[in-house]
């Protein structure tokens, strides 16, 4: 792939977890990543569970439910689409928390 | 009392480093949907086919002419109702469809929150748009710990028009004409980012200048820039020329190089739990341990 050639990236398919971890470390260094970088099992168990290859985005709420399922990459990979959903999720959660925290009004008592 | 909304989304990147995993070599193949019978009917005493014996479906189908591939695709499409996602993609590949959202398994995102949700919550004057003033007036103050309200608005305002409308939430329609400023910026960035690491440094700018200043005059002319752009297009293979032919695409698809055959969880589903180590082995992360605390973003990627 020309973009890989440009970046000097020529990587053999890892066949062991150790080899994959080395590639992941190289990825982390090359891209200057600051986010936690997790390495999938060599059987691609998590990739298969999420249909993650070649790239994909998910947003999961605090209850563990999927809020955003990105399209398959590369064509469906839209970080700003996810960002909008994250903003709206946080707004929704804050609105719900405000309602829950509001003092409960005493029921009107008939005289 | 329920937990307050998470102030920060925990971002994770999965290094599925070169995660292309041919179906035949996968260890837990039992759960893998199979596009065609994997067992060869060939007697053991006869020599195995020379090419790609692990993937007979790809080997057979890639021998068809493009016209016959299209004919097979039409038969499959007509005869196989309620196809799974991977079979939709198989039909698109055999038919030679253009690779884009809307073709095969490339579909738009699905999400709990969209323009309809935002409009229902923020369009106070019911004019069909949400202004910055409407947004700021109704945005919960709790969120200012993450970003000021006007900055949150900017994150939603895709076209920077200071007004939210349906187009701001449409990332997949082909009818939307890309912003030419953005396109030009993206292209310039690709040319300048010599090492492809997503950052342009002063050294790279200097190198670009040097490469473009063919006459070593110490300044650039429009002709210099035109020639640099022409060279960049030429070295990238013309962006569209020299792509894989239909047989290559069939082999890539059945070899798992175009994507994972499984479909993944849908919006509203409980996200499958997992525990994985970080690349440096310093700790592990278990998804379910974030429940009740904060949202999580999963970014799947590969490095190959």
């Amino acid at each position: 792939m020309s973009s890989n050639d440009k970046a000097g990236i020529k990587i053999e398919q890892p066949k062991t977890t150790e080899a994959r971890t080395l590639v992941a470390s190289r990825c982390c260094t090359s891209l200057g990543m600051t986010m936690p970088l997790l390495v999938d099992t060599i059987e691609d168990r998590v990739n298969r569970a999420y249909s993650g290859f070649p790239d994909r985005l998910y947003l999961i709420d605090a209850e563990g439910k999927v809020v955003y399922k990105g399209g398959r990459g590369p064509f469906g990979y839209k970080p700003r689409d996810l960002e909008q959903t994250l903003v709206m999720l946080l707004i929704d959660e804050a609105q719900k928390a405000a309602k829950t925290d509001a003092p409960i009004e005493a029921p009107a008592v008939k005289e | 009392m329920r937990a307050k909304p998470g102030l920060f989304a925990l971002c994770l990147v999965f290094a599925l480093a070169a995660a292309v995993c041919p179906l035949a070599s996968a260890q837990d193949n039992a759960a893998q949907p199979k596009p065609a019978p994997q067992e060869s009917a060939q007697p053991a005493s006869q020599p195995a086919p020379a090419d790609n014996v692990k993937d007979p479906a790809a080997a057979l189908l890639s021998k068809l002419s493009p016209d016959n591939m299209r004919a097979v695709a039409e038969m499959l499409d007509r005869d196989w109702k309620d196809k799974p996602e991977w079979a939709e993609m198989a039909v698109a590949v055999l038919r030679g469809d253009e690779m884009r959202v809307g073709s095969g398994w490339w579909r738009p995102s699905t999400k709990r929150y969209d323009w309809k949700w935002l409009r229902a919550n923020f369009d106070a004057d019911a004019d069909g748009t949400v202004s910055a003033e409407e947004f700021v007036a109704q945005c919960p103050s709790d969120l200012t710990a993450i970003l000021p309200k006007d900055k949150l608005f900017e994150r939603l305002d895709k076209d920077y028009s200071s007004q939210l409308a349906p187009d701001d939430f449409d990332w997949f329609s082909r009818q939307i004409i890309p912003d030419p400023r953005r396109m030009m910026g993206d292209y310039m960035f690709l040319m300048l980012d010599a090492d492809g690491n997503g950052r342009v440094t002063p050294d790279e700018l200097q190198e670009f200048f040097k490469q473009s200043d063919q006459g070593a005059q110490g300044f650039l002319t429009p002709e210099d820039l035109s020639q640099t752009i022409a060279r960049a297009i030429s070295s990238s293979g013309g962006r569209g020329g020299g792509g894989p032919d239909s047989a290559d695409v069939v082999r890539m698809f059945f070899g798992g190089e175009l994507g994972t055959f499984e479909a993944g969880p849908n919006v509203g589903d409980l996200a499958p739990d997992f525990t994985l180590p970080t690349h440096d082995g310093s700790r592990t992360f278990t998804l379910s341990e974030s429940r009740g605390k904060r949202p999580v973003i999963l970014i799947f990627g590969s490095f190959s």
Side-chain angles (χ1 to χ4, degrees), chain B residues 152-173:
Chain B
L152 286 171
F153 181 85
E154 285 175 11
R155 300 297 175 103
L156 298 171
D157 187 14
K158 185 176 88 171
D159 60 7
Y160 312 112
S161 64
S162 300
Q163 195 171 50
L164 301 179
D167 281 357
D168 286 305
F169 299 84
D170 183 354
W171 295 91
F172 295 95
S173 169

Side-chain angles (χ1 to χ4, degrees), chain B residues 162-199:
Chain B
S162 300
Q163 195 171 50
L164 301 179
D167 281 357
D168 286 305
F169 299 84
D170 183 354
W171 295 91
F172 295 95
S173 169
R174 298 195 90 197
Q175 278 68 51
I176 295 200
I177 300 165
D179 183 343
R181 293 166 301 181
R182 182 64 193 252
M183 286 175 69
M184 194 178 290
D186 286 349
Y187 198 78
M188 282 297 293
F189 191 88
L190 278 174
M191 284 203 302
L192 292 168
D193 183 23
D195 62 6
N197 72 346
R199 293 164 194 177

